[in-house]
């Protein structure tokens, strides 16, 4: 029901100005490792409720979730770690490993910025295909780990453009608008997949994560509030057992 979309911590490629893509040997830098350690505190309100940790196969995502998995328990009693190929970084093809400043002069750069749905990287994949495989994976995993009562919380650790494409889908926005979304290293975005529609609770959060309110018990409890949320249930939400969130 609720997925915590986690971008990997800052990597050596992030600070070198290179487009890492799926290049091997890209790891977290010192800042990224500190960000990974800090996730345990930032996700404190969720730790007892996390039912699974899904991640991209790349090293920087494995390193990001490692401290979280350790905090969730031993191998025998902690939630499963699931390596999901569909959450892997974009295949940037011929752009992989090149300096960002060098790519600015490529004609495709403007397409990526202005009409990403039409962008296909040379010998790589298109951003529309990235969104399709990522959204499909997230929604399928959510059906599994949302649980029979729909209260499940799980984590998906992936990459910037992949996460932005999932958020755009949840917002009902065209992929051509996804460049308006900012997703920093180690940031957290929270989406609750309700029975009526997805609800985007937070995007690019870099502090402690706010807990989504539980669905209202009234008729049409999963409908959006006309005029916006009232905040009237804020005190009640603070005392609701975590299992109902």
């Amino acid at each position: 029901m609720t997925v915590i979309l986690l971008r990997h911590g800052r990597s050596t490629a992030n600070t070198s100005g290179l487009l890492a893509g799926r290049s091997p040997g890209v790891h977290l830098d010192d800042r990224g490792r500190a960000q990974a350690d800090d996730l345990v505190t930032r996700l404190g309100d969720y730790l007892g409720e996390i039912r699974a940790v899904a991640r991209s196969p790349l090293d920087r995502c494995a390193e990001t979730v490692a401290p979280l998995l350790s905090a969730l328990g031993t191998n025998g009693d902690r939630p499963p770690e699931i390596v999901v190929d569909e959450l892997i970084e974009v295949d940037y093809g011929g752009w992989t490993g090149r300096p960002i400043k060098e790519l600015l002069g490529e004609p495709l750069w403007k397409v990526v910025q202005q009409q990403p749905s039409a962008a296909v990287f040379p010998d790589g994949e298109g951003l529309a295909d990235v969104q399709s495989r990522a959204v499909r994976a997230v929604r399928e995993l959510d059906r599994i780990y949302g649980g029979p009562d729909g209260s499940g919380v799980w984590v998906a650790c992936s990459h910037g453009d992949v996460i932005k494409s999932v958020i755009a889908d949840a917002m009902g926005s065209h992929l051509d608008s996804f460049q308006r979304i900012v997703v920093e290293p180690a940031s957290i975005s929270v989406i609750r997949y309700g029975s009526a529609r997805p609800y985007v609770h937070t995007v690019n959060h870099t502090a402690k994560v706010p807990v989504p309110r539980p669905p209202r018990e009234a008729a049409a409890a999963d409908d959006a509030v006309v005029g916006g949320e009232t905040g009237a249930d804020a005190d009640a939400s603070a005392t609701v057992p975590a299992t109902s969130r």
Side-chain angles (χ1 to χ4, degrees):
M1 186 176 186
T2 298
V3 57
I4 301 169
L5 295 171
L6 167 64
R7 186 181 174 191
H8 62 78
R10 196 176 75 177
S11 71
T12 52
N14 291 145
T15 50
S16 67
L18 298 177
L19 183 63
R22 300 179 182 180
S23 300
V26 177
H27 300 278
L28 300 184
D29 64 8
D30 289 344
R31 172 64 175 160
R33 287 189 289 273
Q35 290 171 330
D37 289 338
D38 193 40
L39 282 171
V40 177
T41 300
R42 291 172 59 201
L43 292 173
D45 290 336
Y46 282 106
L47 290 183
E49 305 309 313
I50 293 174
R51 299 188 179 186
V53 177
R55 66 167 176 85
S56 156
L58 297 183
D59 289 340
R60 52 194 185 271
C61 288
E63 293 165 5
T64 297
V65 301
L68 174 61
L69 288 166
S70 294
L72 291 176
T74 61
N75 289 334
D77 60 7
R78 75 184 183 196
E81 177 185 13
I82 309 160
V83 179
V84 182
D85 289 341
E86 290 82 4
L87 294 180
I88 197 170
E89 177 64 288
V90 179
D91 181 358
Y92 292 110
W95 279 26
T96 302
R98 293 177 61 187
I100 298 292
K101 63 181 181 180
E102 181 181 291
L103 297 172
L104 296 176
E106 295 281 354
L108 182 59
W109 182 268
K110 289 185 178 180
V111 181
V112 171
Q113 298 300 314
Q114 299 172 10
Q115 193 183 3
S117 64
V120 179
F121 296 97
D123 299 318
E125 66 182 330
L127 287 174
D129 294 326
V130 173
Q131 183 181 51
S132 177
R133 50 119 161 142
V135 168
R136 181 174 62 251
V138 167
R139 287 179 177 261
E140 287 178 355
L141 287 165
D142 193 72
R143 281 191 287 271
I144 296 170
Y145 295 106
D149 61 352
S151 65
V153 177
W154 60 287
V155 174
C157 182
S158 188
H159 308 269
D161 282 347
V162 179
I163 292 173
K164 285 164 60 176
S165 75
V166 173
I167 294 171
D169 170 77
M171 288 180 168
S173 298
H174 196 281
L175 183 60
D176 287 345
S177 297
F178 101 134
Q179 297 293 22
R180 302 181 185 191
I181 301 169
V182 176
V183 175
E184 300 175 56
S187 67
I188 286 171
S189 301
V190 179
I191 298 172
R192 180 172 67 83
Y193 286 96
S195 59
R197 64 184 67 81
Y199 290 89
V200 180
H201 285 266
T202 188
V203 173
N204 196 40
H205 204 282
T206 55
K208 191 172 182 180
V209 183
V211 179
R213 64 153 180 81
R216 295 176 294 278
E217 294 182 359
D222 204 33
D223 285 352
V225 177
V226 176
E229 294 292 339
T230 64
D233 58 355
D235 292 338
S237 296
T239 60
V240 172
T243 52
S244 69
R245 291 172 181 160

